[in-house]
Amino acid sequence: MEMSIPVTISMGSQAMLAPLVLSLASLGLMMQIAFWRHSTASWVICCVSILAAMLALVPMSELSPILVTPILINDQFSLFFSFLILLSTLVIAVLAKDYLQNKSGENEEFYLLLMLAGLGGLILVSATHLATFLLGLELLGVALYALIAYPERGHLPLEAAIKYLVLSGAASAILLFGFALIYAALGTLSFEGIGIALQSVESNDKDIIVLMGTAMVFTGIGFKLSLVPFHMWTPDVYQGAPSPVTGFLATVSKGAIFAALLRFFVDGQLFQYQGLLLALSIVAIASMLAGNLLALRQSNLKRLLAYSSIAHMGYLLIVLVVCGVQENAQLALESGSFYLAAYVITSLAAFAVMTIISQHEESDDIADVRGLFWRHPLLATTLTIAMLSLAGIPLTAGFIGKFYIFTAGISGSLWLLLGALVIGSGIGIYYYLRVIFAMTQTDSSDTNTVYSPVHVSLVAKAVVCLLVVLMLYLGVLPQGLMEYLGTLSV
Amino acid sequence: MFLLNLILILLAGGALAWLSERMGAQWPRQIALLVVLADLVYFLIKIAKIPVANFALTPNASDPSSWLFAYKAEWIPRFGINIELAMDGLSLILVMLTLVLGAVAIVSSWNEKNDRQGFFQANILWTLAGVIGVFLALDLFLFFLFWEVMLVPMYLLIAIWGHEGKAYASMKFFIFTQLSGLLMLVAILVLAKLHHSATGVYSFSYFDLLALDINANFAYWLMLGFFIAFVVKLPGFPFHTWLPDAHTQAPTAGSVILAGILLKTGAYGLIRFTVPLFPAAALEFAPIAMMLGVAGVIYGAILAFAQNDFKRLVAYSSVSHMGFVLLGVFAWNSLALQGAVMQMVAHGFSTAALFMIAGALQQRLHTRDMDKMGGLWHNMPRMGAVALFFVLASLGLPGLGNFVAEFFVLVGLFAVNPWMAAFAALGLITAAVYSLILMQKAFYGKPNENLKVADFGSLEMTAMAVMIIGLIWLGLYPQPVLDMVQPVLNSLYIETNTVPLLENRDVGLIESVNLVGGSE
């Protein structure tokens, strides 16, 4: 993202080690599946290679910032989000193992698809060019189509997969058309090139073509991020997809796409379009209000989190609008990154608990978590902290994230957006508390209801504990991450 | 470290009480009581070591080292956030009230058969820790953190151990406080941003923000952000509707803490933050605030009179009594302000005791409906006598703390706005009506001879005795409290205050304070 300090162009493999590790490992995994079907082995290969990719970030950071070919970059920003994506993918992989064991069918390809989707995320956050942007987006998307329908024969996952396939396909088409229009007007596809070209655009009709192209790009991304009015698919897909995949969709997919969007928006200097900022503000307000209002009446946990994710993406859009004033861009970038990190970790925790519970319960109803506090305190505490974090209560990561968004919004004097943020958060408390309330209740009337005991494997327990520690750590001692994010540059 | 320890002891004690559940159901409450008493003793020992002369010193609002205690440690330097705690006379009294009533609250639920005693007691201790944090925090970020965090254990207390309508009541309680808290958060962040614009660094320190020069129009909006958050908690009319539900549905200990302590955080916020940070805007707003205060006094009293539910009646009476606090703060002279502080303490005792009695009745009779009670004095003479005492205190019987408080507020208010004072004085009359109705319905009348219920035991009577002595002391010899608070109020309202109006109004009234106590 940093363009002012000199960046060497290098083909060296060290600078892109993590994606390379993951690519090679997926090839390896493919061979393993072809010759020897064994789901535990596949799982081990998947987890080990993700860990290796995480380790590979260390040698990568030694070279950063560095431009690897004109279309990929390795800088602080991409390293941070790569780490977040790999961590999330690892967590999902660990949780998926127990989940898949209870389902029939072959599970090996699940891990392969997961790795490919993670790879798509890594490419997205390193993209400095619309070609890599699209490449990452499609790698992520295509793997997700298969993942959503993966283990089940039921009609819900299939319906979800078809819905996601059709709508996401349409969104990609619109996105591509937008790219084409931008290229037609400016003659470049690199983010930086677009930024430079935009400064020199003077003729009016050229400007309109660029604006239309940008609008179409944002429409396509709006679909993927499930912003109002492009949010219709979200609840159905969240509900239909297997829980670990929903978790992946909510964290890696949205996080990576938003990170890429942030880079495109800042490097491509799109913030100079006042009309675009206005449109973003309207979409943000609509997402915050509609997402929260629609979540109120949900009794299915996954649908509830789907609507809540719409609202959270709305909160995040404030960050883009703040970029409109140059001196606030640094704070906006820092805010957006922190909020995303907090949101990803919190959502992971919520979906981790749901994945564990849904191994035993068929539905994902709020009623399923009734009395969880007394049946399984660890899971209940995790879900409680996750809900408080999503609601933005202090001492959790979500609060610091919201604190950042508020601070950024105030710096930009965006009072209307802040008002929507306050109202949206106020509404949000209701449904987050409903989940917590359900967990504290026991049915005294029908004590005969026997809840199946929840068995949690040791690895899953460790993962859940790690996420709790991360949520609280970022909420209580955020200074470390703040300092790191402060070094991100625009 | 002393101030931080006060909070940490309670936090750790909560965890300990929770864990002790495994050893037996009777352990958590004993540990919880011990922890609170230990905290209180620790507090008193530290207080006793302060030279007496220091209490009379006016704390310099721009210099924390002139306070009785101060503690500061770096926390999030990126935004200039520190763990900044300090104690002056005002917070000293409120912390003491919190610890005493905390012990009372634990005693009040001593014999209740609550499930999961460990977690119950842990939540009580964590709420107390949060409240003490609110009274001590002088970094506004930290203050907001405590303000919000104390909600969570309180929410759990109502949601898990509450009565029949707990789902609705706990939700309403949380949303009201949280939503108004967000407005305050925005106001706090704007202040920090203003500091950033003026000096180039963020700061959330009370002392830094006091020195800010804020555009008058802007200050009015920011003041409203703080005001709404505090008035919801107080609660002031028309933001009071969460209170009857929450207080009625909470378990006894929860009601005691809510009414006795939590409401005082709102009053404290008004005195500590709203007025000193935005003196001019607050003065401009004072007539409206006073009108809300009068409305609360009268409206709360009328609604209290209409209740059949013992707890609901006491809850509405709180709305009425806390209206006096709002009046006292915004009448803008030191006599009324003294009255407001006195009211905080006196109301804390009297309402906590009444809720404790309500809880004891519900536990014994399984109803809060006063129509189903009657003649209880015959069955439980000790409880009846105690109830009579606190009902009389609550209606403002001279010689008890509440009378002194409300009298001060009314005298102070009369100097500012006689009409307003006249209307507020109606609250004293209506208080007599609803208080006596309560006594009449529940304790007098034809006794039910067949009713076999236990009277108050020695532990409960001890707790009651503490509060009775407290109220009599406040009623007969309030001077120590006034002396403790006066320097603080002087510093908040005069030294940091650039509004000259105040002193002109104040001249005659400061002398009248001295008439009451003669502390020269």
Side-chain angles (χ1 to χ4, degrees):
Chain A
M1 193 157 258
E2 176 57 59
M3 292 300 142
S4 53
I5 45 172
V7 174
T8 33
I9 295 190
S10 149
M11 298 291 283
S13 56
Q14 191 188 346
M16 275 288 143
L17 202 51
L20 287 176
V21 166
L22 220 49
S23 313
L24 290 175
S26 0
L27 287 178
L29 186 55
M30 221 182 285
M31 300 306 279
Q32 185 245 324
I33 295 170
F35 291 106
W36 179 47
R37 270 199 176 275
H38 192 281
S39 73
T40 308
S42 302
W43 178 72
V44 170
I45 292 177
C46 173
C47 290
V48 168
S49 51
I50 294 172
L51 274 174
M54 283 167 96
L55 282 179
L57 293 176
V58 178
M60 276 171 77
S61 68
E62 286 163 8
L63 294 179
S64 117
I66 180 170
L67 202 59
V68 188
T69 73
I71 56 174
L72 283 174
I73 192 169
N74 163 0
D75 61 2
Q76 297 279 73
F77 186 80
S78 76
L79 284 173
F80 174 69
F81 281 101
S82 299
F83 177 75
L84 207 57
I85 287 168
L86 289 170
L87 179 73
S88 315
T89 315
L90 184 64
V91 167
I92 300 283
V94 169
L95 293 169
K97 180 169 187 285
D98 291 343
Y99 182 86
L100 291 173
Q101 260 170 3
N102 297 332
K103 315 274 172 193
S104 56
E106 272 99 23
N107 307 328
E108 291 82 3
E109 283 88 351
F110 185 91
Y111 303 112
L112 179 61
L113 290 166
L114 200 63
M115 281 165 68
L116 287 173
L119 181 62
L122 292 190
I123 292 175
L124 261 178
V125 298
S126 321
T128 57
H129 193 276
L130 288 177
T132 27
F133 188 100
L134 185 73
L135 185 70
L137 207 59
E138 288 306 293
L139 193 51
L140 184 65
V142 172
L144 267 174
Y145 304 148
L147 278 173
I148 289 171
Y150 189 78
E152 314 220 19
R153 308 275 184 265
H155 77 276
L156 268 183
L158 275 181
E159 182 198 325
I162 296 286
K163 234 174 208 165
Y164 191 65
L165 172 69
V166 172
L167 287 176
S168 188
S172 296
I174 297 174
L175 193 77
L176 268 175
F177 197 3
F179 289 174
L181 287 178
I182 292 176
Y183 186 69
L186 302 177
T188 174
L189 281 176
S190 86
F191 294 173
E192 200 192 355
I194 292 173
I196 294 167
L198 273 186
Q199 281 175 335
S200 56
V201 167
E202 276 170 27
S203 114
N204 232 355
D205 40 299
K206 240 188 186 178
D207 205 32
I208 282 173
I209 293 176
V210 177
L211 197 56
M212 273 183 63
T214 319
M216 294 183 94
V217 170
F218 273 83
T219 306
I221 294 174
F223 262 108
K224 311 261 174 183
L225 290 178
S226 63
L227 293 162
V228 175
F230 317 112
H231 63 287
M232 304 294 186
W233 59 273
T234 323
D236 294 334
V237 172
Y238 267 54
Q239 185 186 10
S243 294
V245 177
T246 314
F248 188 85
L249 188 68
T251 55
V252 177
S253 165
K254 292 207 169 160
I257 293 173
F258 194 89
L261 173 68
L262 201 55
R263 192 194 289 274
F264 178 44
F265 192 77
V266 174
D267 277 359
Q269 306 203 359
L270 299 175
F271 48 79
Q272 42 182 301
Y273 282 113
Q274 286 304 317
L276 187 62
L277 291 182
L278 181 67
L280 282 176
S281 305
I282 293 169
V283 169
I285 291 174
S287 300
M288 287 186 251
L289 297 182
N292 280 316
L293 284 173
L294 290 171
L296 284 180
R297 305 291 300 167
Q298 302 303 323
S299 61
N300 182 297
L301 259 179
K302 281 165 139 187
R303 292 185 81 85
L304 189 150
L305 285 174
Y307 283 114
S308 118
S309 85
I310 296 173
H312 280 277
M313 289 301 129
Y315 302 153
L316 264 173
L317 274 195
I318 295 181
V319 168
L320 290 189
V321 183
V322 174
C323 287
V325 180
Q326 193 66 49
E327 67 254 32
N328 294 330
Q330 174 62 42
L331 180 64
L333 196 67
E334 196 181 328
S335 308
S337 306
F338 197 102
Y339 196 91
L340 262 183
Y343 179 70
V344 163
I345 288 166
T346 306
S347 299
L348 269 182
F351 281 105
V353 174
M354 283 171 55
T355 306
I356 293 169
I357 293 172
S358 64
Q359 290 159 29
H360 305 278
E361 314 277 346
E362 275 313 301
S363 63
D364 308 291
D365 214 71
I366 290 189
D368 289 344
V369 297
R370 276 185 83 86
L372 192 67
F373 252 108
W374 324 116
R375 286 188 283 144
H376 205 297
L378 175 68
L379 294 184
T381 310
T382 311
L383 196 54
T384 302
I385 295 174
M387 288 297 141
L388 292 177
S389 180
L390 286 173
I393 304 294
L395 297 184
T396 60
F399 171 68
I400 304 289
K402 201 158 266 179
F403 168 83
Y404 255 122
I405 302 259
F406 269 118
T407 311
I410 286 169
S411 300
S413 303
L414 306 170
W415 304 114
L416 202 60
L417 283 168
L418 286 174
L421 176 57
V422 168
I423 293 170
S425 309
I427 302 170
I429 294 161
Y430 174 78
Y431 56 85
Y432 295 128
L433 279 189
R434 263 181 71 206
V435 180
I436 298 178
F437 184 78
M439 285 193 289
T440 63
Q441 299 305 303
T442 40
D443 300 293
S444 49
S445 50
D446 52 342
T447 42
N448 297 327
T449 324
V450 181
Y451 290 104
S452 45
V454 183
H455 296 293
V456 189
S457 71
L458 209 59
V459 200
K461 257 185 202 162
V463 163
V464 165
C465 288
L466 173 76
L467 292 171
V468 169
V469 168
L470 276 178
M471 276 191 288
L472 293 178
Y473 178 76
L474 289 185
V476 177
L477 299 169
Q479 177 67 19
L481 184 59
M482 283 173 168
E483 268 170 20
Y484 180 83
L485 294 178
T487 63
L488 298 186
S489 42
V490 194
Chain B
M1 274 311 278
F2 157 61
L3 299 175
L4 198 59
N5 284 343
L6 276 181
I7 299 168
L8 291 179
I9 288 174
L10 291 175
L11 287 178
L16 189 67
W18 193 2
L19 291 176
S20 72
E21 194 177 28
R22 298 179 183 193
M23 303 187 338
Q26 77 281 12
W27 280 99
R29 59 188 180 202
Q30 291 173 2
I31 289 179
L33 187 59
L34 267 179
V35 166
V36 175
L37 290 178
D39 212 25
L40 184 61
V41 169
Y42 176 54
F43 173 77
L44 291 176
I45 289 174
K46 281 288 191 180
I47 297 301
K49 282 185 187 156
I50 306 175
V52 183
N54 282 13
F55 288 110
L57 292 179
T58 304
N60 184 348
S62 55
D63 172 21
S65 61
S66 67
W67 291 42
L68 296 177
F69 291 100
Y71 173 79
K72 187 169 180 176
E74 203 172 58
W75 183 18
I76 308 177
R78 165 72 180 87
F79 285 100
I81 296 167
N82 296 302
I83 298 179
E84 190 167 18
L85 303 167
M87 184 190 277
D88 59 8
L90 179 63
S91 25
L92 185 149
I93 284 177
L94 290 172
V95 169
M96 188 142 69
L97 178 77
T98 307
L99 289 171
V100 171
L101 287 184
V104 168
I106 292 166
V107 169
S108 74
S109 58
W110 199 262
N111 294 320
E112 283 185 4
K113 293 196 172 44
N114 287 322
D115 293 345
R116 297 160 187 123
Q117 270 290 331
F119 195 46
F120 180 79
Q121 303 292 356
N123 277 316
I124 290 186
L125 292 183
W126 292 338
T127 310
L128 295 177
V131 174
I132 291 183
V134 164
F135 288 144
L136 297 179
L138 282 185
D139 184 281
L140 266 71
F141 183 91
L142 188 67
F143 171 78
F144 180 79
L145 183 134
F146 281 123
W147 181 263
E148 296 274 289
V149 163
M150 71 179 174
L151 285 182
V152 178
M154 195 65 224
Y155 167 81
L156 290 174
L157 278 178
I158 303 176
I160 301 180
W161 295 278
H163 303 308
E164 66 283 352
K166 58 188 174 182
Y168 176 74
S170 56
M171 186 73 77
K172 199 169 174 183
F173 163 70
F174 202 103
I175 291 182
F176 264 68
T177 330
Q178 166 77 20
L179 197 55
S180 59
L182 279 178
L183 294 178
M184 178 166 72
L185 178 65
V186 174
I188 290 174
L189 290 174
V190 172
L191 282 179
K193 176 69 195 168
L194 286 176
H195 192 270
H196 182 258
S197 309
T199 62
V201 286
Y202 285 99
S203 172
F204 288 83
S205 169
Y206 180 62
F207 305 105
D208 289 345
L209 298 181
L210 272 182
L212 272 182
D213 189 19
I214 312 167
N215 169 313
N217 196 15
F218 216 41
Y220 196 80
W221 287 104
L222 296 181
M223 187 276 299
L224 275 186
F226 279 87
F227 179 80
I228 290 174
F230 296 140
V231 163
V232 165
K233 196 63 151 245
L234 190 61
F237 179 84
F239 305 108
H240 64 280
T241 64
W242 64 270
L243 178 133
D245 292 310
H247 285 213
T248 311
Q249 300 303 334
T252 310
S255 304
V256 170
I257 293 179
L258 263 176
I261 311 165
L262 238 61
L263 303 189
K264 278 67 197 175
T265 58
Y268 171 80
L270 286 175
I271 297 175
R272 172 78 74 207
F273 297 106
T274 311
V275 173
L277 283 174
F278 317 100
L283 188 60
E284 194 185 337
F285 186 69
I288 301 173
M290 281 193 287
M291 250 142 71
L292 292 179
V294 173
V297 168
I298 294 174
Y299 185 72
I302 292 173
L303 284 186
F305 175 63
Q307 304 302 320
N308 276 333
D309 184 319
F310 194 117
K311 273 180 130 178
R312 256 189 125 73
L313 190 152
V314 182
Y316 275 114
S317 82
S318 287
V319 177
S320 179
H321 289 307
M322 295 313 276
F324 280 104
V325 174
L326 196 54
L327 283 172
V329 174
F330 281 92
W332 218 273
N333 60 59
S334 64
L335 188 59
L337 201 55
Q338 292 275 21
V341 176
M342 283 293 287
Q343 178 79 331
M344 284 156 75
V345 182
H347 175 265
F349 283 140
S350 65
T351 318
L354 285 175
F355 273 119
M356 194 169 157
I357 291 167
L361 284 177
Q362 174 158 27
Q363 192 205 342
R364 288 164 171 79
L365 307 174
H366 305 289
T367 180
R368 301 187 302 266
D369 189 345
M370 288 187 295
D371 291 339
K372 295 185 184 151
M373 299 177 189
L376 291 176
W377 190 300
H378 175 81
N379 308 92
M380 295 177 282
R382 266 182 288 184
M383 194 195 285
V386 170
L388 182 62
F389 177 86
F390 286 107
V391 161
L392 290 178
S394 167
L395 66 78
L397 188 76
L400 300 177
N402 309 56
F403 169 75
V404 178
E406 286 170 16
F407 179 75
F408 275 25
V409 171
L410 287 175
V411 172
L413 185 61
F414 190 81
V416 183
N417 190 330
W419 279 109
M420 209 89 86
F423 277 111
L426 286 178
L428 284 176
I429 300 167
T430 42
V433 178
Y434 64 72
S435 303
L436 293 176
I437 285 274
L438 172 93
M439 205 55 208
Q440 191 75 36
K441 279 189 176 170
F443 288 97
Y444 296 137
K446 194 169 173 293
N448 178 354
E449 298 289 348
N450 300 325
L451 192 64
K452 289 271 180 290
V453 285
D455 204 350
F456 266 163
S458 54
L459 193 63
E460 284 146 319
M461 285 308 281
T462 313
M464 288 297 178
V466 170
M467 291 186 282
I468 289 175
I469 293 168
L471 280 181
I472 295 179
W473 178 54
L474 286 176
L476 296 180
Y477 189 53
Q479 198 56 41
V481 175
L482 300 181
D483 287 345
M484 185 88 77
V485 176
Q486 189 55 50
V488 182
L489 299 182
N490 285 344
S491 77
L492 292 182
Y493 279 72
I494 297 170
E495 288 191 359
T496 71
N497 201 328
T498 48
V499 183
L501 263 173
L502 183 95
E503 288 174 68
N504 300 339
R505 271 191 198 174
D506 228 24
V507 177
L509 293 162
I510 287 181
E511 284 163 15
S512 59
V513 176
N514 291 336
L515 281 182
V516 178
S519 65
E520 299 310 306

